[in-house]
């Protein structure tokens, strides 16, 4: 049985009927995106439980083996020529365990959004495309799809129609825009329902993107 990760939770109302599991990027922790909840206009949404898990610590090869919070090891600067498949799949299991926890607490899978930034985006896609029940949506911020060559074989039909939001900085020096464009092109070719948006920013989240996130959440959780 996969151990549950340490999490921070914010409920926008008592007994919320929907959940957003939001994964941080490399070197951050579960507190990283907590302040954004206050900035989201969720007036059109029902009550939401935001869950912010913290990744385990591990040595990261491209950072000289420095130990930090990471969802998986990064073996090459381009992130995809060699991938830490074992680490990626282990983090997928951690997020699946969090989904199961929310289901046990009364929030069904089709009311759960997986969201992530950078590495967190990669794990949100890794998990969401393969999950065996329909999810409410997958939010992909400044990231890419890992193990991309395996998606067509491993994806689950339950999430073929699940809405996917992809937002990326036009000047991102960490996950290059071309990497996100390749993910968008792949998902489109596989028939996924993607909303694609770029922003005049680097590896970050901007005010315009926050507005778009709130509108998208209001739509998929209406």
């Amino acid at each position: 049985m996969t151990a549950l990760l340490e999490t921070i939770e914010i409920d926008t109302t008592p007994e919320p009927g929907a959940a957003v599991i939001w994964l941080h990027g490399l070197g951050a922790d579960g507190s990283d995106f907590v302040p954004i909840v206050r900035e989201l206009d969720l007036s059109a949404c029902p009550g939401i439980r935001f869950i912010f898990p913290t990744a385990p610590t591990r040595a990261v090869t491209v950072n000289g083996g420095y130990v930090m919070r990471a969802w998986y090891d990064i073996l090459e600067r381009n992130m995809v020529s060699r991938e830490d498949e074992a680490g990626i799949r282990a983090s997928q299991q951690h997020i699946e365990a969090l989904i199961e926890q929310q289901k046990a607490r009364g929030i069904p899978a089709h009311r759960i959004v997986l969201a992530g930034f950078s590495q967190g985006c990669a794990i949100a896609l890794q998990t969401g495309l393969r999950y065996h029940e329909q999810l409410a949506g997958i939010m992909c911020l400044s990231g890419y799809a890992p193990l991309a060559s395996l998606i067509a074989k491993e994806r689950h039909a339950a999430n073929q129609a699940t809405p996917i939001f992809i937002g990326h900085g036009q000047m991102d020096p960490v996950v290059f825009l071309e990497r996100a464009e390749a993910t968008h092109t792949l998902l489109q070719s596989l028939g996924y329902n993607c909303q694609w948006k770029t922003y005049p920013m680097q590896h970050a989240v901007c005010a315009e993107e926050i507005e778009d996130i709130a509108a998208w959440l209001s739509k998929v959780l209406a």
Side-chain angles (χ1 to χ4, degrees):
M1 183 175 178
T2 303
L4 288 173
L5 297 171
E6 177 186 343
T7 61
I8 297 171
E9 291 189 5
I10 299 174
D11 290 357
T12 62
T13 64
E15 304 298 326
V20 176
I21 301 174
W22 199 322
L23 314 183
H24 62 77
L26 178 67
D29 60 30
S31 67
D32 197 33
F33 281 90
V34 168
I36 282 184
V37 174
R38 297 193 302 269
E39 301 179 43
L40 296 171
D41 178 4
L42 301 174
S43 57
C45 290
I48 300 173
R49 173 176 297 134
F50 286 90
I51 301 113
F52 300 96
T54 291
T57 56
R58 70 183 74 226
V60 176
T61 300
V62 296
N63 288 343
Y66 187 78
V67 175
M68 60 178 64
R69 298 285 179 185
W71 295 108
Y72 51 91
D73 191 11
I74 300 177
L75 303 171
E76 302 283 353
R77 289 288 176 190
N78 69 11
M79 302 182 189
V80 296
S81 59
R82 286 195 305 139
E83 296 185 87
D84 174 20
E85 181 173 349
I88 290 166
R89 293 193 188 279
S91 285
Q92 176 186 344
Q93 291 179 344
H94 278 301
I95 304 312
E96 288 174 348
L98 290 177
I99 296 172
E100 297 305 315
Q101 180 194 45
Q102 294 310 308
K103 286 164 55 181
R105 295 171 67 182
I107 299 178
H110 70 269
R111 301 292 293 159
I112 297 175
V113 169
L114 292 185
F117 177 82
S118 194
Q119 262 205 344
C121 163
I123 297 303
L125 276 170
Q126 170 73 17
T127 307
L129 298 179
R130 293 163 173 80
Y131 193 65
H132 63 277
E133 291 183 64
Q134 183 182 1
L135 299 166
I138 306 171
M139 185 200 304
C140 310
L141 309 178
S142 300
Y144 66 99
L147 306 182
S149 65
L150 301 177
I151 291 173
K153 180 177 69 174
E154 295 181 355
R155 62 183 174 152
H156 199 288
N159 283 292
Q160 180 64 54
T162 298
I164 300 174
F165 176 86
I166 307 174
H168 210 91
Q170 296 161 0
M171 302 164 287
D172 192 327
V174 178
V175 181
F176 296 143
L177 179 61
E178 291 78 10
R179 184 75 61 223
E181 288 173 333
T183 290
H184 178 224
T185 298
L186 172 62
L187 295 178
Q188 278 194 313
S189 74
L190 294 174
Y192 286 100
N193 172 21
C194 298
Q195 178 179 334
W196 163 257
K197 189 77 180 286
T198 63
Y199 304 89
M201 64 181 185
Q202 296 190 4
H203 197 59
V205 176
C206 64
E208 182 185 355
E209 187 175 35
I210 289 172
E211 291 180 6
D212 290 340
I213 289 169
W216 183 80
L217 285 174
S218 297
K219 181 178 179 180
V220 302
L221 293 177

